[in-house]
Amino acid sequence: MKVNRVRQNVLPVLAALIWGTAFVAQSIGADYVGPFTFNAARSIIAFFFLLGLCGVLRLLEKKRGQAARKTSWKDLAVGGLCCGTALAVAANLQQKGIETTTSGKAGFITALYIVLVPIAGLLLKKRVGKSVWVGVVLAVAGLYCLCITEEFSIASGDFYLLGCAVCFTVQIMSVDHFVQKVDGVELSCAQFFVASVISAAGMFLTETPTVEALQSCIWPILYVGIFSSGVAYTLQILAQKDSNPTVVTLLLSLESVFATVAGALIMHDRMTAREYFGCVLMLLAVVLAQLPEKGAANTQ
């Protein structure tokens, strides 16, 4: 259906735009608090934001006279646990990896979920077209041009980031499974509740957060908590409903392009010809992934 295709294409691009522009806020926050503290704060804010949104949506349905949605609390709980655990582990592995490796390699290694998602899809017997596979190769090449600026070498932080890419793949595939069973906004709310608990546990066990430090970066935390976490991850979940997770993943990978552009516009970073070429490859990958397969009916 046309509505499904618009949702599959537009929502992940919006999510990627939010994640990309949140780079500045995340960089500022990292100067004041540790990774577990930052992720716990953003997850808690996202949880309460989404909890309020769920309440508003329920009230609007009641006001319109719509029948109350039947929610499988078991599916919602299991989905929130699976998605939230994968998200929390991925986010904190990423922060840990960035401490001991360069940001360029961090961006590239994390984005390897572009390759891992279609591979996971094959294991789950989900068909992936040839054009999508070509798009995956172009996207990886584009990310390399965007992020890798020095000689590639293996550092201790690289292994954390490889684990991060695997966990993001698990999160995407978990969302693909559970969003077919429960409401997308409620699933997002549940996953951030789990992520906040896990990150808070890590914070109290390994870090010593202070009120002063949190106050110093309250605006970046609020921005990332509400928009990058609450809004963008919910857009990701809604986009994946009845969609090809590989195509959605390619669109989400535009985060790297938006982050590069945001750095040039906001932080006045200069983009090289290599980085512009990487942006072109990423855009070509996205366009190619949208082309219908020959002889296949377009059912979305």
Side-chain angles (χ1 to χ4, degrees), residues 264-291:
L265 295 177
I266 300 174
M267 303 180 71
H268 306 293
D269 295 333
R270 291 186 177 182
M271 292 179 64
T272 64
R274 176 192 177 100
E275 289 172 327
Y276 279 116
F277 182 63
C279 290
V280 172
L281 289 178
M282 291 286 293
L283 292 175
L284 285 176
V286 170
V287 172
L288 188 60
Q290 306 307 310
L291 297 179

PDB file of all heavy atoms in Angstrom, residues 264-291:
ATOM      1  N   ALA A 264      29.426  20.332   9.792  1.00  0.00           N
ATOM      2  CA  ALA A 264      29.913  21.417   8.934  1.00  0.00           C
ATOM      3  C   ALA A 264      29.140  22.711   9.175  1.00  0.00           C
ATOM      4  O   ALA A 264      29.716  23.802   9.209  1.00  0.00           O
ATOM      5  CB  ALA A 264      29.801  21.005   7.467  1.00  0.00           C
ATOM      6  N   LEU A 265      27.816  22.602   9.373  1.00  0.00           N
ATOM      7  CA  LEU A 265      26.980  23.788   9.534  1.00  0.00           C
ATOM      8  C   LEU A 265      27.039  24.367  10.942  1.00  0.00           C
ATOM      9  O   LEU A 265      27.118  25.595  11.124  1.00  0.00           O
ATOM     10  CB  LEU A 265      25.525  23.453   9.181  1.00  0.00           C
ATOM     11  CG  LEU A 265      25.248  23.081   7.720  1.00  0.00           C
ATOM     12  CD1 LEU A 265      23.791  22.698   7.538  1.00  0.00           C
ATOM     13  CD2 LEU A 265      25.627  24.228   6.787  1.00  0.00           C
ATOM     14  N   ILE A 266      26.973  23.497  11.961  1.00  0.00           N
ATOM     15  CA  ILE A 266      26.885  23.965  13.350  1.00  0.00           C
ATOM     16  C   ILE A 266      28.262  24.141  13.976  1.00  0.00           C
ATOM     17  O   ILE A 266      28.541  25.150  14.627  1.00  0.00           O
ATOM     18  CB  ILE A 266      26.041  22.982  14.185  1.00  0.00           C
ATOM     19  CG1 ILE A 266      24.632  22.872  13.601  1.00  0.00           C
ATOM     20  CG2 ILE A 266      25.971  23.443  15.643  1.00  0.00           C
ATOM     21  CD1 ILE A 266      23.770  21.819  14.274  1.00  0.00           C
ATOM     22  N   MET A 267      29.137  23.149  13.771  1.00  0.00           N
ATOM     23  CA  MET A 267      30.462  23.201  14.400  1.00  0.00           C
ATOM     24  C   MET A 267      31.523  23.728  13.450  1.00  0.00           C
ATOM     25  O   MET A 267      32.701  23.765  13.788  1.00  0.00           O
ATOM     26  CB  MET A 267      30.841  21.794  14.878  1.00  0.00           C
ATOM     27  CG  MET A 267      29.825  21.179  15.843  1.00  0.00           C
ATOM     28  SD  MET A 267      30.277  19.522  16.406  1.00  0.00           S
ATOM     29  CE  MET A 267      31.665  19.918  17.469  1.00  0.00           C
ATOM     30  N   HIS A 268      31.086  24.125  12.219  1.00  0.00           N
ATOM     31  CA  HIS A 268      31.989  24.700  11.226  1.00  0.00           C
ATOM     32  C   HIS A 268      33.127  23.764  10.836  1.00  0.00           C
ATOM     33  O   HIS A 268      34.243  24.203  10.538  1.00  0.00           O
ATOM     34  CB  HIS A 268      32.552  26.035  11.725  1.00  0.00           C
ATOM     35  CG  HIS A 268      31.494  27.021  12.129  1.00  0.00           C
ATOM     36  ND1 HIS A 268      30.625  27.594  11.220  1.00  0.00           N
ATOM     37  CD2 HIS A 268      31.130  27.498  13.355  1.00  0.00           C
ATOM     38  CE1 HIS A 268      29.797  28.399  11.864  1.00  0.00           C
ATOM     39  NE2 HIS A 268      30.072  28.355  13.147  1.00  0.00           N
ATOM     40  N   ASP A 269      32.834  22.443  10.868  1.00  0.00           N
ATOM     41  CA  ASP A 269      33.817  21.481  10.373  1.00  0.00           C
ATOM     42  C   ASP A 269      33.825  21.530   8.851  1.00  0.00           C
ATOM     43  O   ASP A 269      32.781  21.661   8.223  1.00  0.00           O
ATOM     44  CB  ASP A 269      33.446  20.062  10.834  1.00  0.00           C
ATOM     45  CG  ASP A 269      33.522  19.926  12.348  1.00  0.00           C
ATOM     46  OD1 ASP A 269      34.293  20.676  12.961  1.00  0.00           O
ATOM     47  OD2 ASP A 269      32.801  19.065  12.888  1.00  0.00           O
ATOM     48  N   ARG A 270      34.992  21.420   8.268  1.00  0.00           N
ATOM     49  CA  ARG A 270      35.103  21.436   6.821  1.00  0.00           C
ATOM     50  C   ARG A 270      34.949  20.028   6.258  1.00  0.00           C
ATOM     51  O   ARG A 270      35.582  19.090   6.733  1.00  0.00           O
ATOM     52  CB  ARG A 270      36.447  22.029   6.393  1.00  0.00           C
ATOM     53  CG  ARG A 270      36.573  23.524   6.672  1.00  0.00           C
ATOM     54  CD  ARG A 270      37.861  24.067   6.087  1.00  0.00           C
ATOM     55  NE  ARG A 270      37.982  25.504   6.264  1.00  0.00           N
ATOM     56  CZ  ARG A 270      38.993  26.232   5.809  1.00  0.00           C
ATOM     57  NH1 ARG A 270      39.984  25.641   5.138  1.00  0.00           N
ATOM     58  NH2 ARG A 270      39.029  27.524   6.013  1.00  0.00           N
ATOM     59  N   MET A 271      34.104  19.893   5.243  1.00  0.00           N
ATOM     60  CA  MET A 271      33.917  18.607   4.573  1.00  0.00           C
ATOM     61  C   MET A 271      34.892  18.493   3.412  1.00  0.00           C
ATOM     62  O   MET A 271      35.045  19.416   2.626  1.00  0.00           O
ATOM     63  CB  MET A 271      32.480  18.464   4.078  1.00  0.00           C
ATOM     64  CG  MET A 271      31.458  18.334   5.194  1.00  0.00           C
ATOM     65  SD  MET A 271      29.758  18.181   4.556  1.00  0.00           S
ATOM     66  CE  MET A 271      29.871  16.626   3.675  1.00  0.00           C
ATOM     67  N   THR A 272      35.568  17.360   3.335  1.00  0.00           N
ATOM     68  CA  THR A 272      36.509  17.127   2.252  1.00  0.00           C
ATOM     69  C   THR A 272      35.777  16.564   1.034  1.00  0.00           C
ATOM     70  O   THR A 272      34.612  16.163   1.116  1.00  0.00           O
ATOM     71  CB  THR A 272      37.593  16.130   2.685  1.00  0.00           C
ATOM     72  OG1 THR A 272      36.977  14.855   2.953  1.00  0.00           O
ATOM     73  CG2 THR A 272      38.296  16.622   3.953  1.00  0.00           C
ATOM     74  N   ALA A 273      36.492  16.528  -0.100  1.00  0.00           N
ATOM     75  CA  ALA A 273      35.912  15.939  -1.307  1.00  0.00           C
ATOM     76  C   ALA A 273      35.577  14.468  -1.073  1.00  0.00           C
ATOM     77  O   ALA A 273      34.576  13.958  -1.584  1.00  0.00           O
ATOM     78  CB  ALA A 273      36.893  16.074  -2.468  1.00  0.00           C
ATOM     79  N   ARG A 274      36.400  13.786  -0.285  1.00  0.00           N
ATOM     80  CA  ARG A 274      36.152  12.384   0.061  1.00  0.00           C
ATOM     81  C   ARG A 274      34.832  12.242   0.812  1.00  0.00           C
ATOM     82  O   ARG A 274      34.058  11.308   0.563  1.00  0.00           O
ATOM     83  CB  ARG A 274      37.325  11.877   0.904  1.00  0.00           C
ATOM     84  CG  ARG A 274      37.185  10.462   1.437  1.00  0.00           C
ATOM     85  CD  ARG A 274      38.272  10.231   2.486  1.00  0.00           C
ATOM     86  NE  ARG A 274      38.170   8.926   3.106  1.00  0.00           N
ATOM     87  CZ  ARG A 274      38.904   7.876   2.791  1.00  0.00           C
ATOM     88  NH1 ARG A 274      39.782   7.974   1.823  1.00  0.00           N
ATOM     89  NH2 ARG A 274      38.760   6.729   3.430  1.00  0.00           N
ATOM     90  N   GLU A 275      34.564  13.147   1.749  1.00  0.00           N
ATOM     91  CA  GLU A 275      33.322  13.085   2.533  1.00  0.00           C
ATOM     92  C   GLU A 275      32.106  13.378   1.656  1.00  0.00           C
ATOM     93  O   GLU A 275      31.053  12.736   1.802  1.00  0.00           O
ATOM     94  CB  GLU A 275      33.397  14.064   3.707  1.00  0.00           C
ATOM     95  CG  GLU A 275      34.373  13.626   4.785  1.00  0.00           C
ATOM     96  CD  GLU A 275      34.579  14.695   5.844  1.00  0.00           C
ATOM     97  OE1 GLU A 275      34.519  15.906   5.495  1.00  0.00           O
ATOM     98  OE2 GLU A 275      34.812  14.336   7.004  1.00  0.00           O
ATOM     99  N   TYR A 276      32.229  14.352   0.766  1.00  0.00           N
ATOM    100  CA  TYR A 276      31.123  14.619  -0.164  1.00  0.00           C
ATOM    101  C   TYR A 276      30.849  13.385  -1.039  1.00  0.00           C
ATOM    102  O   TYR A 276      29.691  13.061  -1.322  1.00  0.00           O
ATOM    103  CB  TYR A 276      31.458  15.819  -1.046  1.00  0.00           C
ATOM    104  CG  TYR A 276      31.224  17.154  -0.386  1.00  0.00           C
ATOM    105  CD1 TYR A 276      32.273  18.034  -0.138  1.00  0.00           C
ATOM    106  CD2 TYR A 276      29.933  17.542  -0.007  1.00  0.00           C
ATOM    107  CE1 TYR A 276      32.054  19.258   0.469  1.00  0.00           C
ATOM    108  CE2 TYR A 276      29.702  18.762   0.594  1.00  0.00           C
ATOM    109  CZ  TYR A 276      30.763  19.618   0.836  1.00  0.00           C
ATOM    110  OH  TYR A 276      30.550  20.822   1.444  1.00  0.00           O
ATOM    111  N   PHE A 277      31.917  12.718  -1.473  1.00  0.00           N
ATOM    112  CA  PHE A 277      31.759  11.500  -2.275  1.00  0.00           C
ATOM    113  C   PHE A 277      31.045  10.417  -1.466  1.00  0.00           C
ATOM    114  O   PHE A 277      30.199   9.676  -1.993  1.00  0.00           O
ATOM    115  CB  PHE A 277      33.127  11.004  -2.740  1.00  0.00           C
ATOM    116  CG  PHE A 277      33.074   9.776  -3.602  1.00  0.00           C
ATOM    117  CD1 PHE A 277      32.432   9.802  -4.835  1.00  0.00           C
ATOM    118  CD2 PHE A 277      33.657   8.585  -3.182  1.00  0.00           C
ATOM    119  CE1 PHE A 277      32.376   8.661  -5.637  1.00  0.00           C
ATOM    120  CE2 PHE A 277      33.606   7.452  -3.981  1.00  0.00           C
ATOM    121  CZ  PHE A 277      32.958   7.492  -5.203  1.00  0.00           C
ATOM    122  N   GLY A 278      31.371  10.331  -0.176  1.00  0.00           N
ATOM    123  CA  GLY A 278      30.697   9.374   0.694  1.00  0.00           C
ATOM    124  C   GLY A 278      29.211   9.662   0.804  1.00  0.00           C
ATOM    125  O   GLY A 278      28.376   8.742   0.810  1.00  0.00           O
ATOM    126  N   CYS A 279      28.851  10.942   0.886  1.00  0.00           N
ATOM    127  CA  CYS A 279      27.436  11.328   0.932  1.00  0.00           C
ATOM    128  C   CYS A 279      26.713  10.899  -0.344  1.00  0.00           C
ATOM    129  O   CYS A 279      25.580  10.402  -0.295  1.00  0.00           O
ATOM    130  CB  CYS A 279      27.306  12.839   1.112  1.00  0.00           C
ATOM    131  SG  CYS A 279      27.808  13.447   2.737  1.00  0.00           S
ATOM    132  N   VAL A 280      27.383  11.091  -1.484  1.00  0.00           N
ATOM    133  CA  VAL A 280      26.776  10.705  -2.768  1.00  0.00           C
ATOM    134  C   VAL A 280      26.542   9.197  -2.816  1.00  0.00           C
ATOM    135  O   VAL A 280      25.475   8.725  -3.244  1.00  0.00           O
ATOM    136  CB  VAL A 280      27.672  11.152  -3.939  1.00  0.00           C
ATOM    137  CG1 VAL A 280      27.152  10.574  -5.251  1.00  0.00           C
ATOM    138  CG2 VAL A 280      27.724  12.669  -4.019  1.00  0.00           C
ATOM    139  N   LEU A 281      27.526   8.414  -2.360  1.00  0.00           N
ATOM    140  CA  LEU A 281      27.372   6.959  -2.349  1.00  0.00           C
ATOM    141  C   LEU A 281      26.222   6.528  -1.450  1.00  0.00           C
ATOM    142  O   LEU A 281      25.446   5.620  -1.790  1.00  0.00           O
ATOM    143  CB  LEU A 281      28.668   6.297  -1.879  1.00  0.00           C
ATOM    144  CG  LEU A 281      29.863   6.342  -2.837  1.00  0.00           C
ATOM    145  CD1 LEU A 281      31.075   5.677  -2.201  1.00  0.00           C
ATOM    146  CD2 LEU A 281      29.517   5.661  -4.159  1.00  0.00           C
ATOM    147  N   MET A 282      26.093   7.187  -0.291  1.00  0.00           N
ATOM    148  CA  MET A 282      25.001   6.860   0.630  1.00  0.00           C
ATOM    149  C   MET A 282      23.656   7.147  -0.007  1.00  0.00           C
ATOM    150  O   MET A 282      22.704   6.350   0.097  1.00  0.00           O
ATOM    151  CB  MET A 282      25.149   7.666   1.923  1.00  0.00           C
ATOM    152  CG  MET A 282      26.338   7.269   2.775  1.00  0.00           C
ATOM    153  SD  MET A 282      26.094   5.715   3.634  1.00  0.00           S
ATOM    154  CE  MET A 282      24.801   6.172   4.774  1.00  0.00           C
ATOM    155  N   LEU A 283      23.534   8.279  -0.652  1.00  0.00           N
ATOM    156  CA  LEU A 283      22.264   8.644  -1.287  1.00  0.00           C
ATOM    157  C   LEU A 283      21.932   7.684  -2.428  1.00  0.00           C
ATOM    158  O   LEU A 283      20.778   7.298  -2.620  1.00  0.00           O
ATOM    159  CB  LEU A 283      22.332  10.084  -1.801  1.00  0.00           C
ATOM    160  CG  LEU A 283      22.410  11.163  -0.709  1.00  0.00           C
ATOM    161  CD1 LEU A 283      22.606  12.538  -1.336  1.00  0.00           C
ATOM    162  CD2 LEU A 283      21.144  11.169   0.141  1.00  0.00           C
ATOM    163  N   LEU A 284      22.956   7.284  -3.209  1.00  0.00           N
ATOM    164  CA  LEU A 284      22.733   6.312  -4.276  1.00  0.00           C
ATOM    165  C   LEU A 284      22.259   4.977  -3.701  1.00  0.00           C
ATOM    166  O   LEU A 284      21.387   4.309  -4.277  1.00  0.00           O
ATOM    167  CB  LEU A 284      24.022   6.102  -5.074  1.00  0.00           C
ATOM    168  CG  LEU A 284      24.422   7.208  -6.051  1.00  0.00           C
ATOM    169  CD1 LEU A 284      25.781   6.887  -6.678  1.00  0.00           C
ATOM    170  CD2 LEU A 284      23.365   7.368  -7.146  1.00  0.00           C
ATOM    171  N   ALA A 285      22.816   4.594  -2.560  1.00  0.00           N
ATOM    172  CA  ALA A 285      22.423   3.338  -1.921  1.00  0.00           C
ATOM    173  C   ALA A 285      20.957   3.372  -1.523  1.00  0.00           C
ATOM    174  O   ALA A 285      20.224   2.391  -1.715  1.00  0.00           O
ATOM    175  CB  ALA A 285      23.302   3.087  -0.691  1.00  0.00           C
ATOM    176  N   VAL A 286      20.524   4.505  -0.983  1.00  0.00           N
ATOM    177  CA  VAL A 286      19.127   4.636  -0.552  1.00  0.00           C
ATOM    178  C   VAL A 286      18.185   4.576  -1.747  1.00  0.00           C
ATOM    179  O   VAL A 286      17.157   3.897  -1.721  1.00  0.00           O
ATOM    180  CB  VAL A 286      18.934   5.957   0.224  1.00  0.00           C
ATOM    181  CG1 VAL A 286      17.460   6.232   0.457  1.00  0.00           C
ATOM    182  CG2 VAL A 286      19.682   5.894   1.550  1.00  0.00           C
ATOM    183  N   VAL A 287      18.534   5.294  -2.821  1.00  0.00           N
ATOM    184  CA  VAL A 287      17.689   5.294  -4.022  1.00  0.00           C
ATOM    185  C   VAL A 287      17.618   3.894  -4.619  1.00  0.00           C
ATOM    186  O   VAL A 287      16.537   3.407  -4.995  1.00  0.00           O
ATOM    187  CB  VAL A 287      18.234   6.296  -5.064  1.00  0.00           C
ATOM    188  CG1 VAL A 287      17.478   6.153  -6.382  1.00  0.00           C
ATOM    189  CG2 VAL A 287      18.115   7.724  -4.542  1.00  0.00           C
ATOM    190  N   LEU A 288      18.755   3.215  -4.683  1.00  0.00           N
ATOM    191  CA  LEU A 288      18.797   1.884  -5.270  1.00  0.00           C
ATOM    192  C   LEU A 288      17.958   0.899  -4.471  1.00  0.00           C
ATOM    193  O   LEU A 288      17.299   0.016  -5.037  1.00  0.00           O
ATOM    194  CB  LEU A 288      20.253   1.398  -5.333  1.00  0.00           C
ATOM    195  CG  LEU A 288      20.511   0.099  -6.102  1.00  0.00           C
ATOM    196  CD1 LEU A 288      20.076   0.249  -7.555  1.00  0.00           C
ATOM    197  CD2 LEU A 288      21.987  -0.265  -6.026  1.00  0.00           C
ATOM    198  N   ALA A 289      17.971   1.043  -3.149  1.00  0.00           N
ATOM    199  CA  ALA A 289      17.210   0.128  -2.295  1.00  0.00           C
ATOM    200  C   ALA A 289      15.708   0.268  -2.502  1.00  0.00           C
ATOM    201  O   ALA A 289      14.947  -0.650  -2.180  1.00  0.00           O
ATOM    202  CB  ALA A 289      17.554   0.372  -0.826  1.00  0.00           C
ATOM    203  N   GLN A 290      15.266   1.400  -3.047  1.00  0.00           N
ATOM    204  CA  GLN A 290      13.831   1.624  -3.250  1.00  0.00           C
ATOM    205  C   GLN A 290      13.336   1.094  -4.593  1.00  0.00           C
ATOM    206  O   GLN A 290      12.133   1.023  -4.819  1.00  0.00           O
ATOM    207  CB  GLN A 290      13.516   3.126  -3.182  1.00  0.00           C
ATOM    208  CG  GLN A 290      13.994   3.814  -1.919  1.00  0.00           C
ATOM    209  CD  GLN A 290      13.516   3.125  -0.667  1.00  0.00           C
ATOM    210  OE1 GLN A 290      12.332   2.850  -0.534  1.00  0.00           O
ATOM    211  NE2 GLN A 290      14.437   2.825   0.235  1.00  0.00           N
ATOM    212  N   LEU A 291      14.256   0.725  -5.485  1.00  0.00           N
ATOM    213  CA  LEU A 291      13.841   0.248  -6.799  1.00  0.00           C
ATOM    214  C   LEU A 291      13.204  -1.125  -6.684  1.00  0.00           C
ATOM    215  O   LEU A 291      13.757  -2.021  -6.039  1.00  0.00           O
ATOM    216  CB  LEU A 291      15.050   0.181  -7.737  1.00  0.00           C
ATOM    217  CG  LEU A 291      15.746   1.512  -8.047  1.00  0.00           C
ATOM    218  CD1 LEU A 291      16.933   1.270  -8.958  1.00  0.00           C
ATOM    219  CD2 LEU A 291      14.764   2.489  -8.686  1.00  0.00           C
TER     220      LEU A 291
END
